Amino acid sequence: MKHKMTLLILLLLTTSAIQSCSGDIKMDKIPELQSGSPLSGIKPLIFAVTHFKNAAGDEGIIGKPGGVWPDFKTDRPVDDIVRQAIINELIRNGHEVLSPESASKASVIIDGTVRQYWAWHKMAKIPHFHGHVLGHVNVDITVRFSDSGTILTKTYNGTSDLETQGFTKRNCESALNEALLRMLKDFTMDPDLLDGLNKVGKVSLQLIQRSVPQNKRIFLI
Amino acid sequence: MCFVFSLTLSCASSPPARVSVKKDQLSKYTAVALNVSCPELDVRYSREGDVSVIGGAILVACVVFASGFVTALVTESLIQSSADSKNTEGFNKALGENQFERLLGNYFLDQFTKVNLFKKLNYTAHGDNHKALVAEGFDSIIKLKIEDFCLKRVIDTNLLNLRVGAVAKMIDLQNEQVIWSQYEVVISDDKHTIDEYKADGAKILIESVDKSLRKIGSRLAWDIMYSK
């Protein structure tokens, strides 16, 4: 009886351990930045974020744990994750985001290609007693400011390095989410982007003022 | 069993807890002291790498001849620490007069010049003497403390990247309560060898530190300025 109980406990432990390092990483909730952002200091603009391209390939997420541990994948395409993270951040800061089909009505159009989106595990080596789970997100982003006609194209990166002793699904998820948020911060707090958006905000306001009769302008300013 | 044991031990490091502040909370503070501190640069090359050739030889010798596994581990760690210490010393000598705490403080203050959030926001040298600050007319203090300042080896390469992490806290001097706290870390995209970082009086390193501090200073300021 005692042996059966021990075996059952061992079986349960092993099952839960195997479950924790296999299967998809659920991305139904995309991580969001918590910090105050200068994006909220810009006059509300209308954005369109097109469908991003995925150049990270099928091996968007790679587990390289020395052949012992299984690989992970997100349950959502990585280009969609990055795009949604950007949309959420724009909305969080008071801007409006249109669907890609309505891009012609937007003041700012954001387009992108996800180049890298991976987590990688480096096993601990003697005499070190910890391993690393590295996360990396690399995205080429193009921003078109429709009013001023200018274009900003840049590569934005997010890197994370967690000291761990195992490559579990949770560690992999943490490393990826941290890298994604760092990339998002790098993009949305880029002084070049903020300068461009500030100019669009001013140009948009001037256009509205010009199209409204002189005696009504005061209500719009 | 090792498999299960390894998993139970696994954990991911997490940044310090964030305390957010509301804009209306901030309006009662008018005179804010600023204190910035920065440790010396730490080089983590050997400690983050694989077993060195010398260390590996010692390790094998000890295991084969004397079963001195523990001795080997200690010896290897000492060799690696000593190599890192030498590099750390060299870099800090080269960085010498650079006052990174002042640089971070200035990037932080730069953002506040664009808005009138506080009537007074000034540097103070005695950040720990809160009574003296109250006597000087301050009602709160913002402490920016760089906690992580290192050149860290990129796994499986001979390259290093710069990692700068700073904790910011705003403290109410009347009740000693932390009303805002935020952690900001920047890991540089550029990766270089130790020799490249050393070249030209550590020019690349100084530029990289400047870039990271600009990002951290601005982002920390924005977190207060654009609080909701």
Side-chain angles (χ1 to χ4, degrees):
Chain A
M1 186 63 186
K2 205 176 168 184
H3 288 299
K4 275 184 184 170
M5 276 301 285
T6 316
L7 272 174
L8 187 69
I9 291 167
L10 270 175
L11 190 69
L12 281 172
L13 273 171
T14 312
T15 311
S16 81
I18 289 169
Q19 275 176 348
S20 74
C21 61
S22 63
D24 289 344
I25 293 171
K26 297 213 180 304
M27 293 302 292
D28 43 348
K29 190 166 180 346
I30 307 283
E32 285 188 18
L33 290 172
Q34 302 295 315
S35 51
S37 168
L39 267 184
S40 68
I42 293 167
K43 285 189 172 60
L45 294 169
I46 300 172
F47 287 83
V49 184
T50 64
H51 296 296
F52 279 23
K53 288 167 214 69
N54 180 4
D58 292 336
E59 292 184 340
I61 296 170
I62 310 162
K64 272 189 186 170
V68 182
W69 309 85
D71 290 358
F72 301 116
K73 275 196 192 307
T74 51
D75 65 350
R76 197 168 168 171
V78 293
D79 45 309
D80 191 35
I81 294 170
V82 174
R83 176 179 177 265
Q84 193 58 51
I86 292 172
I87 291 174
N88 292 350
E89 182 61 6
L90 292 169
I91 293 172
R92 186 178 80 94
N93 288 292
H95 301 283
E96 194 183 333
V97 181
L98 303 177
S99 64
E101 293 74 32
S102 310
S104 58
K105 292 174 191 160
S107 311
V108 185
I109 301 164
I110 299 175
D111 192 10
T113 303
V114 180
R115 298 270 169 214
Q116 292 178 59
Y117 195 103
W118 51 258
W120 185 81
H121 182 235
K122 169 78 178 175
M123 294 278 272
K125 277 195 178 182
I126 294 169
H128 307 290
F129 298 101
H130 63 262
H132 292 262
V133 176
L134 309 177
H136 191 72
V137 176
N138 173 287
V139 188
D140 291 342
I141 296 181
T142 300
V143 185
R144 290 184 182 81
F145 305 99
S146 54
D147 292 335
S148 60
T150 52
I151 295 174
L152 169 78
T153 302
K154 266 191 177 183
T155 300
Y156 296 93
N157 287 297
T159 304
S160 63
D161 180 353
L162 307 178
E163 284 187 6
T164 70
Q165 275 153 327
F167 191 55
T168 63
K169 193 158 74 177
R170 203 172 154 202
N171 288 344
C172 182
E173 190 179 337
S174 299
L176 285 171
N177 287 349
E178 206 172 305
L180 174 66
L181 289 178
R182 291 214 175 117
M183 186 287 299
L184 190 62
K185 212 171 231 188
D186 211 28
F187 169 53
T188 57
M189 296 188 181
D190 176 8
D192 292 338
L193 172 77
L194 297 170
D195 278 356
L197 294 179
N198 267 318
K199 279 176 197 156
V200 171
K202 280 171 194 160
V203 173
S204 299
L205 194 66
Q206 281 167 12
L207 288 174
I208 293 167
Q209 285 168 357
R210 251 181 264 146
S211 63
V212 172
Q214 188 98 31
N215 58 342
K216 301 269 183 192
R217 277 184 198 172
I218 193 156
F219 301 109
L220 282 165
I221 298 167
Chain B
M1 279 306 283
C2 286
F3 174 72
V4 176
F5 182 61
S6 169
L7 285 179
T8 52
L9 275 178
S10 68
C11 61
S13 57
S14 53
R18 167 181 158 78
V19 179
S20 53
V21 63
K22 291 208 162 57
K23 208 148 220 169
D24 50 350
Q25 250 179 299
L26 285 174
S27 59
K28 73 173 192 179
Y29 301 100
T30 52
V32 185
L34 179 67
N35 180 258
V36 194
S37 57
C38 177
E40 286 200 322
L41 180 88
D42 186 22
V43 179
R44 297 180 204 161
Y45 181 81
S46 302
R47 276 172 286 168
E48 299 292 341
D50 301 336
V51 180
S52 68
V53 177
I54 302 166
I58 293 169
L59 183 75
V60 171
C62 288
V63 169
V64 171
F65 296 111
S67 304
F69 190 65
V70 175
T71 318
L73 293 185
V74 172
T75 313
E76 170 63 11
S77 291
L78 283 174
I79 290 167
Q80 291 178 344
S81 292
S82 147
D84 281 348
S85 300
K86 235 180 222 171
N87 279 319
T88 298
E89 205 178 304
F91 274 115
N92 282 305
K93 215 172 184 182
L95 295 175
E97 299 300 307
N98 286 281
Q99 292 188 316
F100 293 127
E101 59 272 12
R102 188 49 75 137
L103 202 56
L104 174 63
N106 288 348
Y107 285 133
F108 181 77
L109 288 174
D110 272 356
Q111 298 302 323
F112 284 94
T113 56
K114 297 165 193 166
V115 289
N116 288 321
L117 197 60
F118 306 115
K119 212 170 177 181
K120 186 169 131 185
L121 177 56
N122 284 349
Y123 279 110
T124 179
H126 38 84
D128 291 327
N129 191 347
H130 291 185
K131 276 185 185 165
L133 290 174
V134 173
E136 283 176 43
F138 290 108
D139 51 32
S140 54
I141 180 168
I142 292 176
K143 290 184 181 183
L144 306 180
K145 187 179 179 191
I146 298 175
E147 289 202 331
D148 201 1
F149 186 37
C150 64
L151 276 175
K152 199 172 173 185
R153 186 176 186 173
V154 180
I155 304 292
D156 274 357
T157 69
N158 63 343
L159 305 172
L160 300 99
N161 58 10
L162 179 74
R163 188 187 169 102
V164 186
V167 175
K169 276 182 186 169
M170 184 171 178
I171 301 166
D172 184 315
L173 291 173
Q174 294 300 323
N175 57 19
E176 296 288 325
Q177 202 188 339
V178 176
I179 53 169
W180 169 71
S181 174
Q182 172 73 311
Y183 179 72
E184 195 63 53
V185 62
V186 170
I187 301 171
S188 68
D189 294 336
D190 310 330
K191 301 172 190 80
H192 300 278
T193 61
I194 286 193
D195 289 338
E196 284 167 355
Y197 276 118
K198 277 180 185 167
D200 288 338
K203 190 179 166 225
I204 292 176
L205 178 61
I206 292 168
E207 281 171 5
S208 198
V209 174
D210 183 87
K211 214 167 136 186
S212 299
L213 293 180
R214 184 193 295 265
K215 277 187 183 175
I216 291 176
S218 310
R219 289 174 183 183
L220 288 173
W222 288 334
D223 194 48
I224 298 188
M225 286 163 56
Y226 297 105
S227 56
K228 293 185 175 156

